[in-house]
Amino acid sequence: MFDINPSHSSPIWVQIEEGVRRMISLGALKPGDPVPSVRDLARTLRVNPNTVARVYQRLAEAGVLAVRRGEGTYVADDPAQPKKAEKSEKLREAATAYAGTALAVGATADEAAAELERSYERLSREHRRKA
Amino acid sequence: MFDINPSHSSPIWVQIEEGVRRMISLGALKPGDPVPSVRDLARTLRVNPNTVARVYQRLAEAGVLAVRRGEGTYVADDPAQPKKAEKSEKLREAATAYAGTALAVGATADEAAAELERSYERLSREHRRKA
DNA sequence: CGTACTGTATTAGTAACCTAGTACACAGTG
DNA sequence: CACTGTGTACTAGGTTACTAATACAGTACG
């Protein structure tokens, strides 16, 4: 599936939410596909079921997942994409954070760009592998 | 100086520490220069003095700042740079985080790279302006 | 000396996040 | 029906990050 870093500063539920969205963006999860049950994913990621449940609820509310109570949770038929404005904002915010730490450790723009490319490659590959 | 985002997921003290390191990396703060007093910076950034004090202590311990108790805090004569290994690790971690959210919002590698470049530009400009 | 500025230390309180445990309601299967 | 696996709800507890208030210690200056 994907990995979680409990010692990372960003909350676990955010990491899980992004993980699921990535899987869908990359096509590792397609419309109609079932996602792991709350308890299963919690066990796999070694987190509390409540944390996963919260993410599924958020994603269902956002139109990304469809919940069939008592049966399971599935990728929505037409999974909602972030609105253009929201996408831009989040992208800009994340880019600022990355540029900020890159500058703080004394990395040049080229070094930062190269490392970004490698990360993109790696994440894409990992998700496609487990599709 | 630089900006702080209290609603951001990363702790305020991390943002401050990175901010100071950026200023030094970019030459806005030079060896021997005084940095704002704990209380001054705290007031400017609208944070608690203890938070700033903690950052200064960490940076002093790391060899980036030199504290002259009762007098003030200054950039070290030869401010320590992160070790190569540490630099690589932090860069990779930050790049992974950025690539992760970029993929989650459905951004292409090109879009992410372009946004990164803009952020680099902006941060560099801001710091040089206030040097 | 006294005053005013530095950094430092200690204690207490608040909020967010996560964990843990339990219980309930719905769907599928035998 | 019983049984199992779904999502959901609720309460309680711990940890971490930050705030708040206060006090202490060193330096500069008049």
Side-chain angles (χ1 to χ4, degrees):
Chain A
M1 203 68 185
F2 47 83
D3 291 331
I4 289 304
N5 183 355
S7 64
H8 196 284
S9 63
S10 79
I12 293 180
W13 65 267
V14 171
Q15 297 182 45
I16 300 176
E17 183 169 332
E18 287 198 343
V20 174
R21 295 191 109 115
R22 273 204 306 276
M23 301 273 289
I24 297 175
S25 286
L26 288 169
L29 282 176
K30 294 184 178 56
D33 281 354
V35 297
S37 79
V38 165
R39 291 170 179 80
D40 268 2
L41 186 53
R43 189 151 26 82
T44 305
L45 300 179
R46 312 265 187 142
V47 299
N48 193 280
N50 288 328
T51 307
V52 177
R54 194 164 143 202
V55 171
Y56 280 10
Q57 275 178 282
R58 280 179 56 90
L59 288 174
E61 194 180 347
V64 175
L65 297 181
V67 172
R68 293 210 273 276
R69 185 180 175 135
E71 186 178 353
T73 307
Y74 303 81
V75 178
D77 287 337
D78 186 13
Q81 288 286 90
K83 306 228 174 266
K84 212 170 189 175
E86 189 188 2
K87 173 181 168 182
S88 299
E89 187 192 340
K90 289 197 175 177
L91 195 63
R92 203 170 67 92
E93 201 172 315
T96 304
Y98 178 40
T101 79
L103 282 168
V105 298
T108 67
D110 286 344
E111 286 174 323
E115 193 61 49
L116 171 62
E117 200 171 340
R118 276 194 287 276
S119 294
Y120 236 85
E121 235 303 298
R122 178 162 40 83
L123 287 179
S124 303
R125 190 158 9 97
E126 279 179 12
H127 281 127
R128 288 195 209 285
R129 178 163 51 82
K130 312 202 179 163
Chain B
M1 203 67 186
F2 48 83
D3 291 331
I4 290 304
N5 184 355
S7 63
H8 196 285
S9 63
S10 80
I12 292 180
W13 66 268
V14 171
Q15 297 182 46
I16 300 175
E17 182 169 332
E18 288 197 342
V20 174
R21 295 190 109 116
R22 275 204 305 274
M23 302 272 291
I24 297 175
S25 287
L26 289 169
L29 283 176
K30 295 185 178 55
D33 281 355
V35 298
S37 80
V38 166
R39 292 170 180 78
D40 269 2
L41 185 54
R43 191 151 23 82
T44 305
L45 301 179
R46 313 264 186 142
V47 299
N48 193 277
N50 288 328
T51 307
V52 176
R54 197 161 139 205
V55 170
Y56 281 9
Q57 276 178 283
R58 281 180 55 90
L59 289 174
E61 195 181 345
V64 176
L65 297 182
V67 170
R68 293 210 274 276
R69 183 179 174 135
E71 186 178 353
T73 307
Y74 303 82
V75 178
D77 287 338
D78 186 14
Q81 289 286 88
K83 306 229 175 268
K84 211 171 188 174
E86 189 189 0
K87 172 181 167 180
S88 299
E89 188 192 339
K90 289 197 176 177
L91 195 62
R92 202 171 65 92
E93 203 172 313
T96 303
Y98 178 40
T101 78
L103 281 168
V105 300
T108 68
D110 286 345
E111 286 174 324
E115 193 61 49
L116 171 62
E117 200 171 340
R118 277 194 287 276
S119 293
Y120 236 86
E121 235 301 300
R122 178 162 40 84
L123 286 180
S124 303
R125 190 159 8 100
E126 280 178 12
H127 281 127
R128 288 194 210 286
R129 178 163 52 83
K130 313 204 179 163

